[in-house]
Amino acid sequence: MSDTLTASVVITTKNRRDELRAALRSAVEQTATPEVLVIDDGSSDGTPEMVTAEFPGVRLVRHDDSLGYIVRRNEGARLATGAIVCSIDDDAAFSTPDVVRQALGDFASERIAAVAIPYIDIHTDPRVCQAAPDAQTVYVTDRYKGTAYAVRRDVFVRLGGYREHLFHQGEEGDFCIRLLAAGYVVRLGNAAPIHHAESPKRDFQRMDFYGVRNAVLFAWQNVPAPLVLIHLPVVVLRCLAHTWNPGRLRTRIAGVLTGIRLFASVPREPVPAWTYRLWRALAKGPQPLSRLRRWPADA
């Protein structure tokens, strides 16, 4: 099947010119010869000029305004020409020229709508994440990391892509539970790992606020009744108990309250109860696809 699939590598970027250069070098060297598409989210550091001068074969979409990476990833998927959209962050790079080709090979059936490509956070953790336990078995997981995934473009667009009101963090899990409800799965990948050069310097205030806010919104939008009455309080308690640092705790409380206030403007679209149960099981660890054949969605 992979022989018939085409790919687009989509990279959303803002003010990371030098990091993007390394990402693009690895992308244009891919043996699968994917389309390479850069969505610039309002850079002011010469990023568009660098792309135009050094990578003339790369398709560049430049914006003067900044709307955030979730909006731009949705835009990139709509504009991509490949059947499979392979997304990496602008501070990541393919470790070998064969990663995209190998990822395409993991789309072994129509049920597999996304592949969680293995990756390494090279500055913080030497472990390989998102790798399948073995290549002979299709392992299904509950979500993928935004810096390392491939997804069927038609399915992504048809399901509405990422929910843009999330703005920052949590969009992958929200999309993947909706993917599961539609009868598709996310497969753990077998490709060589993507190298993610994430900075160890983290904006904890931003992460705390949006991480908690969006966890609350995930429960509100996706968890079916009456299970949401259990899920939501547990999520809130876990989010607040994550840290007892007074400053971070205040930020997390603000995130919870903001998420609750958004209930009035964000409609509930709960998944079926069977989807929620399956998603909970997958969150505990990947399972072989062969064990998941008899789904209500197959009826």
Side-chain angles (χ1 to χ4, degrees):
M1 178 175 294
S2 60
D3 292 339
T4 63
L5 292 174
T6 57
S8 295
V9 174
V10 177
I11 306 174
T12 295
T13 190
K14 181 181 179 182
N15 289 336
R16 284 182 176 172
R17 180 187 58 195
D18 295 335
E19 294 92 336
L20 177 64
R21 179 182 287 112
L24 287 177
R25 284 174 179 162
S26 72
V28 299
E29 293 174 352
Q30 291 298 297
T31 56
T33 62
E35 170 194 38
V36 181
L37 172 60
V38 171
I39 309 293
D40 182 75
D41 187 40
S43 292
S44 58
D45 66 346
T47 289
E49 292 78 11
M50 181 276 293
V51 175
T52 300
E54 299 182 24
F55 300 94
V58 168
R59 185 180 171 197
L60 171 66
V61 177
R62 181 177 184 176
H63 293 283
D64 293 328
D65 56 338
S66 178
L67 297 180
Y69 71 88
I70 292 179
V71 171
R72 298 307 184 200
R73 280 180 177 167
N74 282 346
E75 178 185 3
R78 292 192 299 268
L79 294 175
T81 61
I84 302 297
V85 173
C86 185
S87 178
I88 63 173
D89 285 349
D90 53 7
D91 58 358
F94 298 109
S95 62
T96 78
D98 294 322
V99 175
V100 173
R101 178 183 61 79
Q102 293 166 337
L104 292 178
D106 283 334
F107 287 90
S109 75
E110 293 296 328
R111 168 151 281 176
I112 300 168
V115 171
I117 301 174
Y119 73 93
I120 303 173
D121 284 321
I122 60 174
H123 291 329
T124 58
D125 193 337
R127 293 177 298 175
V128 179
C129 303
Q130 297 191 160
D134 68 78
Q136 287 68 47
T137 304
V138 176
Y139 281 91
V140 176
T141 186
D142 65 316
R143 69 187 66 200
Y144 52 72
K145 179 85 169 184
T147 191
Y149 71 92
V151 64
R152 293 187 187 274
R153 178 187 174 276
D154 60 341
V155 175
F156 185 86
V157 172
R158 175 158 48 85
L159 294 183
Y162 298 129
R163 285 172 165 156
E164 295 181 356
H165 64 261
L166 297 177
F167 185 69
H168 181 75
Q169 292 185 230
E171 76 280 2
E172 305 100 327
D174 176 86
F175 173 73
C176 288
I177 195 172
R178 292 185 282 126
L179 197 71
L180 203 61
Y184 298 100
V185 299
V186 179
R187 178 183 185 175
L188 286 178
N190 296 286
I194 287 169
H195 287 174
H196 186 209
E198 185 177 46
S199 171
K201 296 179 180 179
R202 314 295 295 278
D203 184 348
F204 286 111
Q205 184 173 16
R206 182 182 175 95
M207 292 171 60
D208 284 342
F209 178 80
Y210 283 107
V212 172
R213 167 189 180 270
N214 291 347
V216 169
L217 288 176
F218 176 95
W220 169 251
Q221 289 202 269
N222 296 306
V223 180
L227 296 172
V228 67
L229 300 177
I230 300 173
H231 183 104
L232 184 56
V234 170
V235 164
V236 170
L237 289 175
R238 285 179 177 174
C239 288
L240 296 182
H242 181 77
T243 177
W244 297 111
N245 176 283
R248 294 187 64 187
L249 186 58
R250 284 194 295 271
T251 300
R252 285 175 166 260
I253 292 172
V256 169
L257 296 177
T258 301
I260 292 173
R261 283 197 296 269
L262 287 172
F263 287 179
S265 58
V266 175
R268 268 181 54 78
E269 300 178 77
V271 301
W274 70 264
T275 302
Y276 176 75
R277 289 193 294 268
L278 179 56
W279 174 80
R280 292 266 300 177
L282 292 174
K284 296 177 182 178
Q287 297 185 23
L289 178 59
S290 58
R291 297 181 186 173
L292 308 178
R293 284 176 177 168
R294 295 182 63 83
W295 289 1
D298 292 334

